[in-house]
Amino acid sequence: MSSDFEGYEQDFAVLTAEITNKIARVPRLPPDEKKQVVANVEKQLEEARELLEQMDLEVREIPPQSRGMYRNRMRSYKQEMGNLETDFKRSRIAYSDEVRNELLGDDGNSSENQRAHLLDNTERLERSSRRLEAGYQIAVETAPSVISRPKQSYRRSTRDRGTNVKDSRTNWPGDVGKPQS
């Protein structure tokens, strides 16, 4: 049973070496060839995932006393697979940035200008957020006194006019939830 696992290991090693080589070449290839290599790497990554699944099945069938060593190997292969996928994503991003720059005629300076503009906007947004937060705090602190002033002046004006209106029947913003008499 371990001979099957070792065969899968060899296949995995060869496949990952090919993938690594192609990933390293992607940014330096001409556009037409890049598309082909990217598609080929995607297929090879899928093959590598399938090999890992086969290897995992083989490990499950190994007797428990020998299984620990093979599980450690599987962990390292899965980690290697994750690293390959990360490297591939990075190379694809570099590839897509180059294509975008070719299409739009951008150079490296505009990227730096965009980054500086983004930082400026972020700082402005943070300053505005701090001002809004300070304004909110002031409103929360002064709200009870602001609400009670109109209520008191209304009570005075109704008393001055000699009306028989009960204050408790008038709902003011601060009276929500208070029982009415």
Side-chain angles (χ1 to χ4, degrees), residues 4-17 51 55:
D4 289 338
F5 184 84
E6 289 169 359
Y8 290 136
E9 279 182 310
Q10 290 174 355
D11 293 344
F12 185 77
V14 169
L15 191 56
T16 55
L51 273 173
M55 290 165 63

Side-chain angles (χ1 to χ4, degrees), residues 10-165:
Q10 290 174 355
D11 293 344
F12 185 77
V14 169
L15 191 56
T16 55
E18 288 177 19
I19 292 170
T20 302
N21 183 21
K22 289 178 182 176
I23 288 173
R25 289 183 16 221
V26 166
R28 295 184 301 260
L29 294 173
D32 293 338
E33 198 173 334
K34 281 182 186 181
K35 290 179 186 177
Q36 292 172 349
V37 171
V38 165
N40 191 293
V41 169
E42 287 174 341
K43 289 177 187 175
Q44 285 182 320
L45 284 171
E46 184 59 35
E47 287 177 38
R49 285 187 209 98
E50 290 173 8
L51 273 173
L52 281 176
E53 288 177 17
Q54 289 298 322
M55 290 165 63
D56 198 30
L57 291 173
E58 289 295 322
V59 168
R60 291 179 188 172
E61 294 182 15
I62 293 175
Q65 60 273 17
S66 305
R67 202 176 291 164
M69 175 182 69
Y70 290 102
R71 286 190 182 205
N72 288 337
R73 285 176 166 172
M74 283 301 298
R75 266 189 236 114
S76 69
Y77 294 140
K78 287 179 182 178
Q79 184 177 8
E80 183 178 352
M81 185 68 192
N83 291 340
L84 281 174
E85 289 174 338
T86 301
D87 291 345
F88 180 58
K89 285 179 186 176
R90 286 182 184 146
S91 73
R92 284 183 56 188
I93 289 171
Y95 163 66
S96 65
D97 284 347
E98 288 177 13
V99 169
R100 181 184 58 81
N101 289 342
E102 288 174 14
L103 290 173
L104 299 176
D106 290 344
D107 57 358
N109 292 336
S110 69
S111 177
E112 291 300 319
N113 291 340
Q114 289 174 346
R115 193 170 281 133
H117 189 65
L118 181 62
L119 287 173
D120 289 342
N121 286 341
T122 302
E123 289 174 13
R124 246 186 264 147
L125 181 62
E126 287 174 358
R127 282 193 305 267
S128 297
S129 295
R130 284 192 297 267
R131 276 189 248 135
L132 282 172
E133 185 66 31
Y136 175 77
Q137 284 301 111
I138 291 170
V140 166
E141 292 169 1
T142 58
S145 64
V146 169
I147 291 172
S148 65
R149 279 187 213 139
K151 187 175 178 181
Q152 290 169 354
S153 65
Y154 174 78
R155 286 181 181 158
R156 275 189 228 122
S157 69
T158 56
R159 283 187 206 128
D160 292 344
R161 286 189 304 197
T163 59
N164 293 330
V165 177

